[in-house]
Amino acid sequence: MRGFLLNRLSQSLVLLLIVSVIGFVVLNLIPGGPLAQFGLDPSMTQDDLNRLKEQLGLNRPLWMQYLDWAWRLVQGDWGHSFRDGAPVLDVIGRHLVATLLLMGSSTVIAIAIGTWIGIRGATHRYSVFDYLATVGAMVALSIPTFWFGLVGIYVFSLRLGWLPAGNMYTIGDGSALNYLHHLIMPSIVLALVHVAIWSRYMRTATLDVISQEFVKTARAKGLSERRILMKHVVGNALLPMITLAGMQLPSVLTGALVTETVFTWPGMGRLFLDSLGYSDYPVVMGLLMFSAILVVLCNLIADIVVAIIDPRIRLS
């Protein structure tokens, strides 16, 4: 088990290093560079830009800039925003709760509905429900998230008036019910694609377990189909789903970026787009590294949980 953990941890550190190098180089190769926004100020002269470049250390070779940034990152200094001078971690912290709330609620919806659809589709193979679930999954995977969001706003906000069109809460009303009311539509829109993915994987995993010898033995002993399903099939089919949950986090983050933009949700995705448009490179790099760390940690936790539950992985 110790060797397994050390192996996963070393892989995670190497992955974070690669992500940081690629992200830093790509951002600095963008036309205009980190000072692009300052160059739009008509009162800013070339001497002022050169002075800023020297103050920020941007006149040094790129590899020296990266090493300095990486060293400060390890020490907990993620830099300061070009926009207002606030520490990057404080800027991210102000938007983190909104993103975690949206991602958490959509993930719970996707897992609950997708698991049920996948299990029912496997136990009723080639039925009308199975065909409808397959077609629905293909439709959800084929249509972009922003389209579902715009249709939801048009139908449920503009036409029916049941749900708010955007934002996280109504100004002047900070009740939990108001937050929940605003959360319903963006969380469902974000969950749609992941329901389709989760249901397909769950169906395949359930069919694989149903064909195993121990399930046939349970049937031969006279156990009811419901008891076989709940006691022997579901638990084993969920094992690969734990790994899938960790692997799906990058797509959830990507979907959150689009969903937050459509619904003006004040999360990390919207912050990323705003910072990118403002050329606020410290915040952009901070968000990139924070997201990468979050993804790596979730995958690491998922691997550990699977190794603890499944002795075959732990012993191998």
Side-chain angles (χ1 to χ4, degrees):
M1 186 67 176
R2 183 182 299 176
F4 173 82
L5 292 176
L6 289 175
N7 184 39
R8 285 291 187 269
L9 186 60
S10 61
Q11 291 176 1
S12 301
L13 292 176
V14 171
L15 179 61
L16 288 176
L17 178 63
I18 294 173
V19 169
S20 67
V21 171
I22 294 176
F24 192 89
V25 171
V26 169
L27 277 179
N28 280 274
L29 290 178
I30 294 177
L35 299 180
Q37 197 68 25
F38 295 99
L40 299 177
D41 188 351
S43 63
M44 186 75 67
T45 65
Q46 187 61 43
D47 291 337
D48 294 331
L49 288 175
N50 292 335
R51 188 162 52 251
L52 267 176
K53 205 177 269 190
E54 186 175 353
Q55 289 176 356
L56 297 174
L58 300 177
N59 56 346
R60 296 175 298 171
L62 190 60
W63 65 270
M64 289 184 64
Q65 295 181 43
Y66 171 78
L67 290 178
D68 179 59
W69 170 83
W71 177 244
R72 287 188 288 108
L73 184 78
V74 172
Q75 292 179 315
D77 180 10
W78 289 40
H80 292 76
S81 171
F82 287 164
R83 190 181 307 189
D84 55 10
V88 170
L89 283 178
D90 291 349
V91 176
I92 294 175
R94 291 199 295 265
H95 296 78
L96 178 61
V97 175
T99 294
L100 292 181
L101 184 63
L102 178 60
M103 288 175 54
S105 58
S106 65
T107 301
V108 169
I109 293 171
I111 290 176
I113 298 177
T115 299
W116 177 78
I117 292 175
I119 292 174
R120 183 169 177 80
T123 54
H124 297 76
R125 194 177 183 185
Y126 303 133
S127 64
V128 174
F129 177 87
D130 189 28
Y131 284 120
L132 289 176
T134 302
V135 172
M138 294 301 104
V139 171
L141 291 171
S142 302
I143 299 177
T145 304
F146 73 85
W147 187 88
F148 286 119
L150 294 175
V151 170
I153 291 173
Y154 177 76
V155 174
F156 296 105
S157 297
L158 300 181
R159 302 294 296 179
L160 300 176
W162 290 353
L163 297 170
N167 294 320
M168 191 175 176
Y169 59 91
T170 303
I171 297 176
D173 185 358
S175 63
L177 189 61
N178 184 256
Y179 277 92
L180 180 62
H181 195 213
H182 283 77
L183 180 64
I184 292 174
M185 190 153 55
S187 60
I188 290 176
V189 167
L190 181 56
L192 279 175
V193 173
H194 304 289
V195 167
I197 297 173
W198 194 274
S199 64
R200 293 295 88 195
Y201 275 103
M202 191 64 196
R203 179 183 182 274
T204 302
T206 304
L207 286 173
D208 181 63
V209 174
I210 288 175
S211 64
Q212 299 296 318
E213 292 297 327
F214 66 87
V215 176
K216 297 177 182 178
T217 303
R219 285 200 183 100
K221 289 181 178 180
L223 295 179
S224 65
E225 288 296 322
R226 181 179 179 80
R227 184 174 176 81
I228 293 172
L229 181 67
M230 300 305 297
K231 188 174 181 180
H232 299 284
V233 175
V234 174
N236 287 282
L238 282 173
L239 280 176
M241 297 298 104
I242 297 174
T243 303
L244 177 65
M247 294 172 59
Q248 283 296 302
L249 186 60
S251 62
V252 176
L253 281 170
T254 305
L257 188 150
V258 177
T259 307
E260 288 174 5
T261 303
V262 172
F263 291 99
T264 60
W265 189 265
M268 290 168 53
R270 189 178 173 195
L271 174 65
F272 180 83
L273 289 179
D274 290 345
S275 300
L276 199 59
Y278 192 82
S279 298
D280 196 348
Y281 285 17
V283 175
V284 173
M285 277 303 301
L287 286 168
L288 179 65
M289 291 308 300
F290 190 87
S291 301
I293 292 171
L294 189 62
V295 170
V296 167
L297 279 178
C298 287
N299 277 281
L300 187 61
I301 292 172
D303 288 341
I304 293 172
V305 171
V306 172
I308 292 174
I309 296 175
D310 192 345
R312 295 173 298 179
I313 297 177
R314 184 172 65 252
L315 294 176
S316 64

